[in-house]
């Protein structure tokens, strides 16, 4: 036995203070998490459960009789409601029509802002201005742009001699495309920022090596940029699709669902049933269907992400 061993055994460590270095478990962990969970339970989970329960009742506004439990009657009526399924179809057209151009334009803008150009930082700041504006303000601003009498769009058309312009938001054939343009403009900055962050995380050494091998710009994009950017692109596209399908404020300010229901998204339809016609139970059933659709989209996205992680 060496002197070092004897010394090591003879020296006693000072006692560890009580509670130091321990990980909270059981009731202690729940006590720490509770302040964060409480607002979620009160503001999100509680109203969701109440809305689901309301969908199985005949709840109406201004009704003196007590609310009755009617089972799945609201959902049975919803299956045969052609107006709701028309709004559902319009919602899908709106979501896809906004998400796809939004991604393509944002990708081009992100590639441009990722270059070493002059005034790059002011350009990046200007690119996110629409994202910082409330949807109500964006809607009011674009109503002025589309104004048939004094709007800048029709004035430009008249100055160029292309015609007298038209009422873009009131035309049956132009209302939905006009609203889609606004949706693309308003949501593109968020997609641009996400894609730009993904581009900046791509090592420049890979681009330099591909350029030394003789690869052109398009080839470098397909072999270097896109593989590194694909996870971010899939995530932001899925989130945009869900977000756009749930749109309400922007379309409500622009057209209120008109003309003739051509821009009546599912959220607008449920809002009208609840607060214009007072059919709370029926509107809650619509909300349940929309929540189910969004849950399916999230499940598909998460399964795709898990499979992608396993393949990697």
């Amino acid at each position: 036995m060496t002197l070092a061993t004897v010394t090591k055994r003879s020296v006693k460590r000072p006692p560890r203070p009580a509670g130091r270095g321990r990980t909270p478990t059981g009731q202690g962990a729940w006590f720490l998490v509770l302040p964060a969970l409480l607002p979620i339970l009160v503001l999100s989970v509680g109203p969701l459960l109440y809305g689901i329960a309301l969908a199985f009742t005949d709840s109406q506004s201004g009704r003196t009789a007590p609310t009755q439990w009617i089972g799945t009657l609201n959902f049975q009526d919803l299956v045969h409601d052609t107006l709701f399924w028309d709004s559902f179809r319009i919602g899908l057209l709106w979501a896809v029509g906004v998400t796809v151009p939004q991604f393509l334009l944002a990708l081009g803008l992100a590639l441009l802002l990722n270059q070493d150009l002059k005034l790059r930082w002011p350009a990046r700041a200007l690119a996110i201005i629409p994202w910082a504006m409330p949807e109500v303000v964006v809607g009011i601003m674009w109503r002025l742009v589309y104004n048939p009498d004094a709007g800048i769009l029709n004035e430009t058309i008249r100055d160029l001699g292309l015609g007298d312009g038209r009422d873009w938001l009131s035309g049956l054939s132009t209302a939905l495309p006009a609203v889609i343009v606004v949706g693309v403009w308003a949501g593109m900055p968020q997609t641009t920022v996400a894609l730009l962050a993904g581009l900046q995380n791509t090592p420049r050494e890979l681009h330099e090596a591909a350029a030394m091998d003789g690869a052109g710009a398009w080839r470098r994009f397909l072999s270097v940029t896109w593989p590194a950017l694909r996870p971010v692109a899939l995530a932001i596209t899925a989130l945009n699709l869900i977000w756009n399908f749930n749109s309400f404020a922007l379309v409500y300010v622009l057209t209120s669902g008109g003309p003739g229901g051509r821009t009546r998204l599912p959220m607008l339809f449920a809002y009208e049933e609840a607060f214009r016609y007072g059919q709370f139970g029926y509107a809650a059933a619509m909300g349940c269907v929309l929540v189910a659709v969004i849950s399916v989209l999230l499940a598909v996205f998460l399964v795709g992400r898990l499979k992608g992680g396993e393949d990697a």
Side-chain angles (χ1 to χ4, degrees), residues 238-282:
L239 292 176
N240 283 340
L241 188 65
I242 295 171
W243 177 263
N244 292 326
F245 186 77
N246 283 329
S247 294
F248 173 80
L250 185 62
V251 181
Y252 182 78
V253 174
L254 286 169
T255 63
S256 298
R262 296 301 175 91
T263 60
R264 185 188 288 129
L265 305 183
M267 289 296 179
L268 281 171
F269 193 82
Y271 171 83
E272 290 180 350
E273 287 293 324
F275 299 104
R276 178 176 295 181
Y277 304 113
Q279 302 294 328
F280 293 143
Y282 193 55

Side-chain angles (χ1 to χ4, degrees), residues 50-60 63 66-75 77 279-285:
Y50 177 74
I52 294 174
L54 199 66
F56 296 92
T57 67
D58 60 350
S59 177
Q60 298 178 10
R63 184 174 178 177
T67 299
Q68 300 293 328
W69 182 269
I70 60 174
T72 60
L73 185 59
N74 285 328
F75 294 95
D77 294 339
Q279 302 294 328
F280 293 143
Y282 193 55

Side-chain angles (χ1 to χ4, degrees), residues 3-295:
L3 180 60
T5 305
V6 175
T7 305
K8 183 177 180 181
R9 290 183 177 180
S10 60
V11 175
K12 295 183 179 180
R13 296 181 179 179
R16 179 182 296 179
R20 185 176 180 180
R22 296 180 182 178
T23 303
T25 58
Q27 295 181 354
W30 280 109
F31 181 76
L32 296 176
V33 175
L34 187 60
L37 287 179
L38 192 59
I40 297 176
L41 293 174
V42 173
L43 301 177
S44 297
V45 179
L48 177 62
L49 295 178
Y50 177 74
I52 294 174
L54 199 66
F56 296 92
T57 67
D58 60 350
S59 177
Q60 298 178 10
S61 65
R63 184 174 178 177
T64 57
T67 299
Q68 300 293 328
W69 182 269
I70 60 174
T72 60
L73 185 59
N74 285 328
F75 294 95
Q76 295 175 20
D77 294 339
L78 197 60
V79 171
H80 303 287
D81 192 343
T82 57
L83 293 178
F84 173 73
W85 294 113
D86 284 342
S87 71
F88 196 87
R89 176 183 58 83
I90 294 171
L92 291 178
L93 289 175
W94 154 267
V96 176
V98 172
T99 301
V100 174
Q102 196 176 81
F103 174 78
L104 296 176
L105 293 174
L107 179 60
L109 184 59
L111 291 171
L112 180 63
L113 295 178
N114 195 45
Q115 303 298 319
D116 293 328
L117 302 175
K118 294 182 179 180
L119 301 177
R120 181 177 61 175
W121 291 107
R124 289 182 177 181
L126 291 174
I128 64 173
I129 287 179
W131 189 18
M133 299 174 63
E135 288 186 326
V136 174
V137 176
V138 172
I140 294 174
M141 182 184 71
W142 276 91
R143 281 185 65 90
L144 296 176
V145 172
Y146 284 136
N147 187 280
D149 299 322
I152 188 174
L153 180 58
N154 281 343
E155 289 292 336
T156 303
I157 292 175
R158 296 188 188 102
D159 293 340
L160 295 176
L162 300 177
D164 296 331
R166 59 196 309 172
D167 194 348
W168 299 94
L169 296 177
S170 298
L172 295 177
S173 60
T174 59
L176 185 59
V179 173
I180 286 176
V181 169
V182 181
V184 172
W185 181 86
M188 193 173 66
Q190 178 183 0
T191 309
T192 301
V193 170
L195 295 176
L196 183 59
L199 289 173
Q200 291 179 340
N201 288 330
T202 305
R204 291 187 175 272
E205 293 79 6
L206 298 178
H207 290 277
E208 295 173 357
M212 293 179 63
D213 291 338
W218 178 246
R219 184 62 182 174
R220 291 199 303 271
F221 175 79
L222 293 179
S223 60
V224 178
T225 304
W226 179 248
L229 196 62
R230 183 167 53 187
V232 178
L234 292 177
I236 194 63
T237 301
L239 292 176
N240 283 340
L241 188 65
I242 295 171
W243 177 263
N244 292 326
F245 186 77
N246 283 329
S247 294
F248 173 80
L250 185 62
V251 181
Y252 182 78
V253 174
L254 286 169
T255 63
S256 298
R262 296 301 175 91
T263 60
R264 185 188 288 129
L265 305 183
M267 289 296 179
L268 281 171
F269 193 82
Y271 171 83
E272 290 180 350
E273 287 293 324
F275 299 104
R276 178 176 295 181
Y277 304 113
Q279 302 294 328
F280 293 143
Y282 193 55
M286 294 181 186
C288 290
V289 173
L290 297 178
V291 169
V293 172
I294 295 169
S295 300

